[in-house]
Amino acid sequence: MKNSDFILIVDDNPTNLSVLSQALKGTGFTVRVAEDGESAIELVQHKLPALILLDVQMPGIDGFETCQKLKANPLTQNIPIIFMTALADTENKVKGFSLGAVDYIPKPFEQAEVIARVRMHLQLKQLTDDLEQRVKERTAALEQAQLQLVQQEKLSMLGQLVAGVAHEINNPISCITNNIYPAQEYVAELSQIMQLCQQYHSQLPPAIQDAISQADLEFILEDLLKLLNSMQVSTERIKDISVSLRNFVRADTSVKVEFDVHEGLDSTLLILRHRLKGLGQRPEIQILKQYASLPKVECYPGQLNQVFMNILANAIDALEDVWQQGKRVNKFLEINICTEMSSPAYVKICISDNGIGMTDEVRQRIFDCLFTTKAVGKGTGLGLAIAHQIVVEKHGGSIHVHSTLNQGTEFAILLPVKEQYESELSR
């Protein structure tokens, strides 16, 4: 029992209060008294006792009703209550236990028995509290382990998938890329030959003259070069996507390396580009970037990119929700990404949107494991919990969210530039 804890004695008999108080104080307990149920309930609201000795027969609300009220209140329901009564029949005992009492002391009582029962139930309460605390700690540890396993499995599966897709893309794209330039040269040579044919059109056989006239040769030669140039631009675009995919799931998760966070943000945006485009009446989601000059950060790039992916994907979801609900007054859907040096030792990345926003209740639980506001099948409640674990535990940084309902949300990520700052943070 802590020094700040006390035992509350509730009895309308002054003699009983005096005798019990002196006996308990004599063995080192702190004691407070109340002469009726109403006074006891009021006293308990201000400070919780470690245990309550409660008389059954009292004026006003009796002991049974007092116990019932205390057990109905979540703040007081776990306080051990020992009834003191001359009503020793089985029916009253059963009623008291059914209301939540832990023991009965018959009147007239023996002081030594009261002290022994009080000590026993205080010990039981302490053991119960310790057990509950251990359960909470073990549960928290299991949740953290679960998050880590899920995160590692997702990165592993994603890495394998992307590596396979990138490999399959690279082979045909390389073939196309390598052949476009000679194809352009061939077309240029054919163009020269066709121009000579046009120059000596009258000297060609009638069949060739007719074919040239019907084919609109001049347009074909001009458009063919444009087609080849478009193909070249498209293949470069596919190559950029392939590189972005490889960068997004970089496999160096076992050791920290220097990494350009702007490269990670841009790679993530490129992967999400299909979700940013306008859809039906919904306009395109605008990306506004304000990148400061930042040093490279020592981190696990694949994990950090996963954080960017979760936050940006959630921002897109919020913008789609606010558009569907018709709560966007203006026609602009925007995601702002700003980076800056928070101090010589830390970089700051802010990702904000003008989407649906969230209530204070949701904001306070946003990083809880398995918490989600999305419909079944659209969210697991793991994304932001994993993001929090990656930023805080894996990188020694911090992540905070600021949000206003129907106005938008901002995530602010703080990361140490070097690993040495991470150790300084933990001191």
Side-chain angles (χ1 to χ4, degrees):
M1 180 172 171
K2 300 176 183 177
N3 293 331
S4 59
D5 291 338
F6 64 94
I7 295 172
L8 175 61
I9 305 174
V10 187
D11 198 319
D12 63 325
N13 187 319
T15 302
N16 289 340
L17 288 177
S18 177
V19 172
L20 280 177
S21 295
Q22 293 301 320
L24 291 170
K25 287 178 180 178
T27 56
F29 292 111
T30 301
V31 176
R32 291 189 181 183
V33 298
E35 295 184 351
D36 53 58
E38 292 90 343
S39 300
I41 292 173
E42 183 178 355
L43 191 153
V44 168
Q45 300 303 318
H46 293 89
K47 192 171 183 180
L48 298 179
L51 181 144
I52 299 176
L53 290 170
L54 181 60
D55 186 24
V56 172
Q57 293 177 306
M58 294 184 297
I61 62 172
D62 63 12
F64 290 141
E65 188 175 352
T66 302
C67 178
Q68 189 173 22
K69 289 180 178 294
L70 291 171
K71 292 300 178 180
N73 187 339
L75 294 176
T76 58
Q77 63 182 2
N78 292 324
I79 301 173
I81 296 177
I82 300 177
F83 276 125
M84 302 180 298
T85 181
L87 302 175
D89 59 280
T90 302
E91 182 180 351
N92 280 286
K93 287 183 177 181
V94 171
K95 182 178 180 180
F97 286 128
S98 67
L99 291 174
V102 295
D103 205 349
Y104 254 92
I105 296 177
K107 291 182 178 181
F109 46 75
E110 294 289 336
Q111 294 183 19
E113 181 184 359
V114 174
I115 293 170
R117 288 177 183 268
V118 166
R119 282 179 171 165
M120 179 188 68
H121 286 293
L122 286 175
Q123 290 176 353
L124 288 174
K125 180 65 166 57
Q126 185 61 50
L127 290 171
T128 301
D129 291 344
D130 290 344
L131 181 60
E132 290 179 352
Q133 182 60 33
R134 289 185 182 182
V135 170
K136 288 180 181 179
E137 292 173 355
R138 293 290 177 88
T139 302
L142 286 172
E143 288 181 352
Q144 291 297 97
Q146 179 191 37
L147 280 178
Q148 189 169 0
L149 288 172
V150 171
Q151 172 203 336
Q152 292 174 347
E153 185 66 18
K154 287 176 69 175
L155 281 176
S156 175
M157 293 177 64
L158 186 58
Q160 294 175 12
L161 174 63
V162 170
V165 171
H167 178 74
E168 293 299 323
I169 289 176
N170 284 339
N171 287 336
I173 288 301
S174 296
C175 176
I176 296 172
T177 302
N178 293 334
N179 287 324
I180 283 180
Y181 182 72
Q184 289 173 327
E185 290 184 332
Y186 296 157
V187 169
E189 292 178 6
L190 289 172
S191 178
Q192 291 178 356
I193 295 173
M194 293 299 101
Q195 288 173 0
L196 289 174
C197 288
Q198 287 180 314
Q199 184 178 351
Y200 298 101
H201 183 271
S202 60
Q203 301 177 21
L204 296 173
I208 297 178
Q209 291 181 26
D210 292 341
I212 291 174
S213 299
Q214 293 177 8
D216 195 358
L217 188 60
E218 184 176 348
F219 170 79
I220 290 175
L221 292 174
E222 181 181 352
D223 196 50
L224 184 56
L225 287 173
K226 292 180 179 179
L227 289 175
L228 289 172
N229 288 333
S230 296
M231 292 171 64
Q232 186 173 20
V233 171
S234 297
T235 53
E236 291 297 327
R237 164 88 175 137
I238 296 175
K239 284 176 63 179
D240 290 341
I241 294 174
S242 178
V243 170
S244 295
L245 286 171
R246 291 198 302 272
N247 288 338
F248 180 79
V249 289
R250 290 174 63 170
D252 48 9
T253 55
S254 62
V255 62
K256 288 183 177 179
V257 297
E258 290 190 343
F259 178 61
D260 184 350
V261 295
H262 294 153
E263 179 184 319
L265 288 165
D266 290 340
S267 296
T268 307
L269 288 171
L270 191 60
I271 294 171
L272 290 170
R273 185 172 178 178
H274 68 286
R275 293 198 60 194
L276 300 173
K277 295 179 179 179
L279 182 63
Q281 294 184 343
R282 196 213 77 191
E284 181 179 358
I285 297 174
Q286 302 295 322
I287 300 295
L288 306 178
K289 294 189 288 188
Q290 293 179 306
Y291 288 173
S293 178
L294 300 181
K296 291 187 175 182
V297 175
E298 281 191 359
C299 66
Y300 303 105
Q303 296 183 21
L304 204 56
N305 285 338
Q306 188 178 359
V307 174
F308 298 152
M309 174 64 78
N310 282 323
I311 294 176
L312 287 168
N314 283 340
I316 295 172
D317 290 340
L319 291 171
E320 290 179 342
D321 287 345
V322 81
W323 182 263
Q324 290 174 1
Q325 295 178 23
K327 295 181 179 179
R328 174 58 53 225
V329 177
N330 57 57
K331 296 294 183 181
F332 299 104
L333 303 178
E334 296 176 348
I335 295 176
N336 285 270
I337 306 174
C338 301
T339 63
E340 63 180 4
M341 291 299 299
S342 177
S343 70
Y346 291 87
V347 300
K348 185 177 183 181
I349 304 127
C350 292
I351 302 174
S352 61
D353 64 71
N354 60 345
I356 194 71
M358 61 184 80
T359 63
D360 287 340
E361 291 78 10
V362 171
R363 180 181 56 78
Q364 291 171 4
R365 298 190 60 194
I366 200 69
F367 297 117
D368 291 353
C369 182
L370 301 179
F371 175 76
T372 180
T373 59
K374 297 178 181 179
V376 177
K378 290 189 176 181
T380 62
L382 292 174
L384 288 176
I386 291 175
H388 185 273
Q389 184 186 57
I390 290 172
V391 171
V392 177
E393 297 183 19
K394 298 288 187 178
H395 293 86
S398 63
I399 179 170
H400 303 281
V401 58
H402 309 279
S403 185
T404 303
L405 192 62
N406 296 325
Q407 292 187 24
T409 300
E410 178 186 73
F411 284 87
I413 302 168
L414 206 64
L415 294 170
V417 176
K418 299 288 184 181
E419 191 169 7
Q420 66 186 70
Y421 298 123
E422 186 176 332
S423 60
E424 291 175 3
L425 187 69
S426 62
R427 289 177 184 174

